[in-house]
């Protein structure tokens, strides 16, 4: 692997103009494809294999001409204090609105609250239901404008009018995540490298990779069903890994130049060594993302595929575009003092590129890097550090035991939106359960008396504890299917409502036996239960596939059994602490205001498995980058404890900078309004912090120090079976020419060749 990548980088350095032109041509081609592509589809809510989805499918089949997920608007009217919506003036305004909307385009039915008995007991609140012939994404602007104009006219009469449902759903506010992440990344890179060029090169290549990936996703959006959410996640990951992968190559290039290698050989060595780590780190991320397809949720599968493609583009750019750009400006990425020293050296000794690592500074005057000081501290006290990290992360993970999963609804929206105000008004006027009705689809195709069978089901539902009311059944034209709406006494996110759904389903065999009708339960609460169960059932096989493949990959990379086991245990600590942080902020509300979280509630059902997948890939990034340098020192003859110190000398600062950049990119996406993206940004930023600064910087060196040489043990037979990929670049060490003009270093460990 190292030798092959060494040749690739040599070629890219020599043919730098060709390489850059090819990447620019690729960007132009996919951009043209994106411009001429069809509009991206909306996120699909289809979840095959669950009862709620089966009920929706049955509705689509038995009620032709109307879609179960068709657009709907619930217009809520609230009278002024002390007045009633049944007054002559209010009733006239409501009837006018219903009549105006009924004549609008794409409207299937507009039901007045006075015809549907949709008036609260105190007559302070009422609602009209507007049903459309098409889905929300296909609703025309003319239909939306007609509804908006009618609402505004009703408001002019003094009524408070709010609109819930999907017809006029407010688009989430766009944040500044991309800009904020890039700005913070630029600052971190500038501080780390002390060079504008060194800071700018990873940013440039990351933006190039994200541009190519987003344009490709847009171009293929219609054909493969990639929605805007796929693109947003791809952008988030693409910026993070794109910057990090280029950062590791540039950092290694500066290190090789400091050893005295000429620019072309330094670029080739950096790609042959750090580039090998980039390849295997990228593969672990890709495995984790593609593994999302195991879950069986189409939306997650598409998000995984789109993001995996973005990571692959980032890897390819780090291996080809970075050495090509280094060829244009070979000295620009070096520290200022090194550049000045090299200019003086060229003046006195043309053709020589020597110089010590600190330029003109005398040997022995450099301060010991913080990574070295920290590694020495950990290796001297491994037991105490290990206990502290495990107990600390375990304590942070405790709130995850109270995890409640659900799907975000109007209750999670800010109070500035009309959907949220409509939700609150209905809860005040009709009770908390009104916003989460249970939709019961009754199949009476095999019943002797369909009407009596449906009545029997309705009566049983009405007699269930926790049900406030049951609506009259609505039959289809064939009279073989009916829909009944049951209103719970508690809200849709309440645990009591979830228990109610389970109770109804548990009692179903007895009800079906007594009535001769079959029925299925759907609706928001039932959907939350079904999705949560599907995610839980999929978690174990998902982890088995992803962790199993990654374990084999890491065993090949590190030629060890215990190191991959340690990596997996560290990942579990990271993801557990991250889930605990999400529950603490987004569910329990502690510190929610600090992170811009306006409403708390259940955690999105897909969030845990989504977090597990992405965090696993990112955690393995740091595992490969950090531990590969430790193994590199070990195979060159260093004692285990000293190898840990050497590995930290060369990689701790860069890994820390990479983690800060990832945290900035992910945290920046919290500035948006999309709840899933905001929660994902917070969870990923938290997980990166725990993994990079606690697990990799404390847990890993402590475990390696305790294991000693046993950490690199591999049975002889397995050693012969596994392929050798040479991530450490041992073959390059044997064949690389001596640095031209290389000088000694103030620390013996700095001279370790890769």
């Amino acid at each position: 692997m190292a030798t092959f990548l060494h040749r690739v980088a040599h070629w890219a350095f020599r043919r730098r103009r060709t390489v850059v032109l090819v990447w620019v041509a690729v960007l132009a081609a996919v951009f043209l494809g994106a411009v001429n592509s069809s509009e991206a589809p909306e996120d699909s809510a289809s979840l095959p294999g669950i009862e709620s989805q089966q009920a929706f499918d049955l509705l689509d089949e038995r009620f032709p001409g109307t879609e179960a997920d068709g657009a709907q608007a619930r217009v809520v009217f609230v009278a002024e204090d002390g007045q009633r919506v049944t007054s002559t003036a209010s009733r006239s305004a409501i009837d006018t609105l219903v009549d105006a909307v009924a004549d609008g385009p794409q409207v299937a039915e507009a039901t007045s609250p006075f015809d549907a008995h949709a008036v609260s007991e105190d007559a302070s609140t009422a609602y009209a239901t507007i049903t459309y012939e098409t889905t929300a994404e296909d609703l025309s602007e003319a239909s939306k404008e007609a509804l908006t104009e009618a609402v505004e006219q009703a408001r002019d009469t003094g009524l408070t009018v709010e609109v819930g449902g999907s017809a006029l759903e407010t688009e989430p506010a766009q944040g500044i995540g991309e800009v904020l992440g890039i700005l913070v990344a630029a600052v971190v890179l500038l501080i780390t490298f002390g060079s504008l060029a060194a800071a700018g090169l990873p940013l440039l290549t990351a933006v190039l990779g994200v541009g190519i990936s987003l344009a490709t996703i847009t171009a293929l959006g219609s054909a493969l069903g990639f929605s805007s959410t796929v693109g947003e996640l791809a952008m988030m990951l693409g910026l993070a890994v794109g910057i990090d992968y280029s950062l590791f190559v540039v950092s290694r290039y500066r290190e090789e130049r400091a050893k005295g290698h000429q620019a072309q050989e330094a670029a080739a060595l950096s790609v042959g060594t750090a580039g090998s780590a980039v390849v295997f780190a990228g593969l672990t991320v890709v495995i984790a993302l593609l593994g999302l397809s195991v879950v069986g949720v189409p939306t997650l599968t598409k998000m995984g595929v789109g993001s995996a493609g973005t990571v692959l583009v980032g890897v390819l750019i780090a291996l080809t575009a970075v050495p090509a750009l280094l060829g244009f400006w070979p000295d620009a990425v070096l520290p200022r003092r090194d550049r000045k020293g090299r200019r003086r050296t060229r003046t006195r000794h043309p053709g020589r590129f020597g110089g010590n690592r600190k330029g003109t500074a005398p040997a022995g005057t450099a301060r010991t890097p913080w990574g070295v000081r920290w590694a020495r501290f950990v290796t001297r006290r491994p037991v105490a550090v290990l206990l502290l990290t495990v107990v600390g992360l375990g304590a942070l993970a405790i709130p995850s035991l109270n995890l409640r999963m659900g799907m975000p609804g109007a209750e999670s929206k800010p109070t500035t939106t009309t959907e949220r105000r409509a939700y609150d008004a209905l809860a005040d006027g009709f009770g908390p359960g009104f916003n989460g009705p249970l939709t019961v689809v009754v199949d009476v195709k095999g019943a002797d008396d369909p009407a009596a069978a449906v009545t029997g089901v309705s009566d049983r539902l009405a007699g269930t504890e926790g049900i406030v009311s049951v609506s009259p059944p609505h039959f289809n034209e064939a009279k073989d299917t009916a829909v009944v709406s049951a209103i719970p006494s508690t809200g849709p996110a309440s645990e009591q409502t979830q228990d109610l759904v389970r109770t109804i389903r548990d009692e179903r065999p007895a009800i079906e036996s007594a009535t001769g009708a079959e029925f299925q339960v759907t609706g928001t609460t039932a959907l939350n239960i079904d999705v949560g169960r599907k995610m839980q059932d999929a978690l174990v096989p998902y982890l088995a596939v992803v962790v199993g493949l990654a374990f084999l990959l890491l065993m090949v990379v590190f030629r060890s059994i215990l190191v991959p086991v340690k990596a997996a245990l560290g990942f579990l600590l990271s993801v557990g602490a991250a889930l605990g942080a999400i529950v603490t902020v987004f569910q329990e509300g502690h510190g929610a205001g600090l992170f811009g979280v306006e409403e708390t509630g259940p955690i999105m059902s897909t969030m845990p498995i989504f977090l597990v997948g992405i965090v696993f890939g990112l955690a393995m990034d740091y595992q490969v980058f950090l531990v590969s340098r430790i193994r590199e020192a070990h195979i060159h003859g260093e004692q285990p404890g000293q190898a840990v110190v050497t590995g930290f000398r060369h990689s701790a600062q860069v890994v820390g900078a990479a983690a800060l950049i990832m945290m900035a990119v992910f945290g920046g996406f919290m500035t948006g309004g999309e709840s899933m993206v905001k929660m994902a940004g917070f969870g990923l930023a938290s997980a990166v912090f725990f993994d990079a600064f606690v697990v990799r910087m404390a847990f890993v060196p402590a475990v390696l120090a305790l294991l000693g040489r046993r950490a690199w043990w591999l049975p002889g037979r397995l050693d012969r079976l596994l392929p050798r990929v040479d991530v450490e670049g041992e073959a390059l060490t044997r064949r690389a020419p001596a640095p031209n003009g290389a000088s000694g270093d103030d620390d013996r460990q700095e001279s370790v060749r890769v």
Side-chain angles (χ1 to χ4, degrees):
M1 174 66 75
T3 304
F4 170 74
L5 294 179
H6 183 273
R7 292 197 299 267
V8 169
H10 258 300
W11 175 83
F13 192 98
R14 292 195 310 269
R15 307 294 185 188
R16 47 190 172 272
R17 290 181 177 82
T18 301
V19 172
V20 171
L21 286 175
V22 167
W23 280 113
V24 172
V26 171
L27 177 61
V30 294
F31 178 78
L32 288 176
V35 170
N36 297 316
S37 65
S38 304
E39 186 177 354
E42 296 292 327
D43 288 318
S44 173
S46 177
L47 296 168
I50 62 175
E51 179 176 330
S52 299
Q53 184 63 49
Q54 292 169 355
F56 280 125
D57 294 341
L58 183 61
L59 285 174
D60 287 338
E61 176 188 344
R62 301 290 177 85
F63 290 82
T66 62
E67 298 186 56
D69 57 348
Q72 188 183 72
R74 181 175 282 176
V75 185
V76 184
F77 308 94
V78 181
E80 294 181 310
D81 292 341
Q83 299 188 24
R84 294 169 170 263
V85 292
T86 53
S87 67
T88 303
S90 297
R91 185 161 187 151
S92 174
I94 294 172
D95 288 339
T96 300
L97 180 146
V98 172
D99 292 340
V101 173
D103 295 333
Q106 297 181 306
V107 175
E109 185 179 13
T111 306
S112 169
F114 309 111
D115 297 334
H117 306 289
V119 180
S120 63
E121 290 185 5
D122 61 0
S124 65
T125 309
Y127 67 90
T129 302
I130 315 298
T131 305
Y132 290 88
E133 298 172 343
T134 184
T135 59
E137 55 265 25
D138 294 330
L139 202 61
S140 67
E141 289 300 321
S143 300
K144 296 179 181 180
E145 290 176 4
L147 178 57
T148 302
E149 291 176 3
V151 168
E152 291 299 331
Q153 291 176 1
R155 286 173 177 166
D156 292 339
T157 65
L159 282 172
T160 297
V161 186
E162 305 295 347
V163 183
S166 59
L168 294 183
E169 188 171 7
T170 306
E171 291 293 328
Q174 296 298 313
I176 56 172
E178 304 91 335
V179 177
L180 181 62
I182 291 176
L183 289 177
V184 175
V187 173
V188 172
L189 289 169
L190 189 58
I191 294 174
T192 302
F193 286 139
S195 164
L196 285 173
L201 194 150
L203 293 174
L204 176 63
T205 54
V207 170
L208 172 64
V210 168
I212 291 173
S213 301
L214 285 182
T216 303
I217 289 172
T218 303
L220 299 176
S222 179
L224 300 181
F226 289 153
S227 66
S228 59
T229 304
V230 175
E232 194 157 2
L233 176 62
M235 181 186 300
M236 184 192 300
L237 285 176
L239 281 176
V241 301
I243 293 174
D244 280 3
Y245 293 165
S246 297
L247 165 64
F248 282 103
V249 173
V250 172
S251 175
R252 190 61 181 253
Y253 171 81
R254 284 158 55 102
E255 184 181 324
E256 298 298 337
R257 291 297 302 274
K259 293 177 183 177
H261 288 291
Q262 294 189 14
Q264 182 170 331
E265 180 62 19
L269 285 172
S270 65
V271 173
T273 52
S276 297
V278 166
V279 169
F280 284 97
L283 284 177
T284 58
V285 181
V286 169
I287 288 172
L289 291 170
L290 292 181
L292 290 172
S293 60
V294 175
V295 180
V297 177
T299 300
L300 280 181
T301 300
K302 293 170 185 176
M303 292 169 68
V305 171
S307 300
T310 303
V311 172
L312 286 177
V313 171
V315 170
L316 292 175
I317 286 179
L319 301 179
T320 57
V322 170
L325 292 174
L326 288 173
F328 286 106
W329 303 283
D331 293 340
V333 299
L334 303 180
R336 181 178 300 177
R337 284 181 297 181
D338 282 13
R339 294 198 302 271
K340 290 181 179 179
R342 291 178 187 280
R343 283 196 292 268
R344 286 195 294 269
T345 301
R346 290 193 188 98
T347 302
R348 293 193 299 268
H349 308 286
R352 297 183 63 188
F353 295 88
N356 62 43
R357 196 174 188 274
K358 295 296 180 182
T360 59
T365 61
R367 294 180 57 190
T368 304
W370 67 265
V372 172
R373 297 196 299 272
W374 173 252
R376 288 171 179 166
F377 172 83
V378 174
T379 53
R380 291 192 191 107
R381 305 166 182 84
V383 175
V385 172
L386 182 61
L387 289 176
L388 186 61
T389 55
V390 172
V391 172
L393 292 176
L396 290 172
I398 288 176
S400 64
L401 298 176
N402 299 322
L403 174 68
R404 290 192 299 113
M405 292 190 293
M407 298 298 288
E411 76 281 358
S412 64
K413 292 181 176 292
T415 54
T416 54
T417 63
T418 186
E419 298 101 309
R420 172 59 188 277
R421 293 195 296 269
Y423 179 95
D424 291 341
L426 288 171
D428 292 339
F430 295 91
F434 189 81
N435 285 297
L438 306 179
T439 302
V440 181
V441 183
V442 186
D443 184 357
V444 289
K445 214 169 190 179
D448 296 332
D449 188 346
V454 173
T455 300
V457 172
S458 298
D459 292 342
R460 289 293 191 97
L461 291 174
T464 304
E465 184 178 356
I467 295 293
V468 175
S469 63
V470 177
S471 69
H474 174 60
F475 279 91
N476 64 345
E477 291 185 5
K479 303 298 182 182
D480 60 2
T481 308
V483 178
V484 176
S485 181
I487 307 297
S489 60
T490 51
S494 170
E495 292 186 31
Q496 291 91 334
T497 309
Q498 295 186 8
D499 292 339
L500 174 62
V501 173
R502 296 188 183 97
T503 298
I504 293 174
R505 287 176 170 175
D506 289 342
E507 295 177 353
R508 175 164 43 198
I511 298 175
E512 290 181 343
S513 176
T515 61
E518 298 179 355
F519 69 89
Q520 294 173 318
V521 184
T522 186
T524 303
T525 305
L527 183 63
N528 290 343
I529 294 174
D530 294 341
V531 173
R533 184 180 294 116
K534 187 177 182 67
M535 296 299 106
Q536 291 174 355
D537 293 343
L539 186 58
V540 172
Y542 173 67
L543 282 174
V545 170
V546 173
V547 176
L549 290 175
F551 182 89
L552 293 175
L553 188 64
L554 292 177
M555 193 162 56
V556 170
V557 172
F558 297 119
R559 310 202 70 76
S560 165
I561 291 179
L562 296 179
V563 169
V565 171
K566 169 196 60 62
L569 293 176
F571 155 72
L572 293 177
L573 289 172
S574 299
V575 77
L579 278 175
I582 291 175
V583 171
T584 299
V585 175
F586 286 85
Q587 180 176 305
E588 298 177 354
H590 302 300
L594 296 176
F595 298 100
V597 180
E598 297 185 19
E599 299 298 329
T600 60
I603 305 302
M604 186 174 299
S605 298
T606 55
M607 189 66 213
I609 200 165
F610 169 80
L611 185 71
V612 164
I614 294 181
V615 171
F616 182 83
L618 299 181
M620 294 306 104
D621 268 7
Y622 299 122
Q623 168 75 10
V624 171
F625 288 131
L626 181 61
V627 180
S628 63
R629 294 308 298 262
I630 296 174
R631 173 174 165 77
E632 177 183 328
H634 177 69
I635 66 174
H636 283 85
E638 295 188 14
Q639 295 297 317
Q642 183 58 43
V644 171
V645 175
T646 300
F648 269 68
R649 179 192 304 278
H650 291 299
S651 58
Q653 182 180 8
V654 181
V655 167
L660 288 175
I661 290 169
M662 275 201 177
M663 289 172 61
V665 173
F666 294 146
F669 281 81
M670 289 188 66
T671 61
E674 182 64 40
S675 58
M676 182 174 182
V677 174
K678 180 178 288 190
M679 191 180 296
F682 175 83
L684 291 174
S686 301
V688 167
F689 172 79
F690 295 136
D691 193 85
F693 293 108
V694 181
V695 172
R696 306 304 153 191
M697 296 295 179
F699 176 83
V700 167
V703 172
L704 291 178
L706 288 172
L707 290 175
R709 295 184 181 277
R710 294 187 298 273
W712 311 108
W713 171 77
L714 185 68
R717 186 174 182 181
L718 191 58
D719 183 49
R720 292 188 295 271
L721 289 175
L722 292 178
R724 295 186 178 273
V725 294
D726 190 20
V727 175
E728 296 81 14
E730 190 175 359
L732 300 181
T733 303
R734 295 193 296 266
R735 59 173 286 184
N740 186 17
S743 62
D745 197 86
D746 60 338
D747 192 307
R748 182 180 67 84
Q749 303 306 329
E750 288 291 330
S751 64
V752 174
R753 290 286 309 281
V754 180

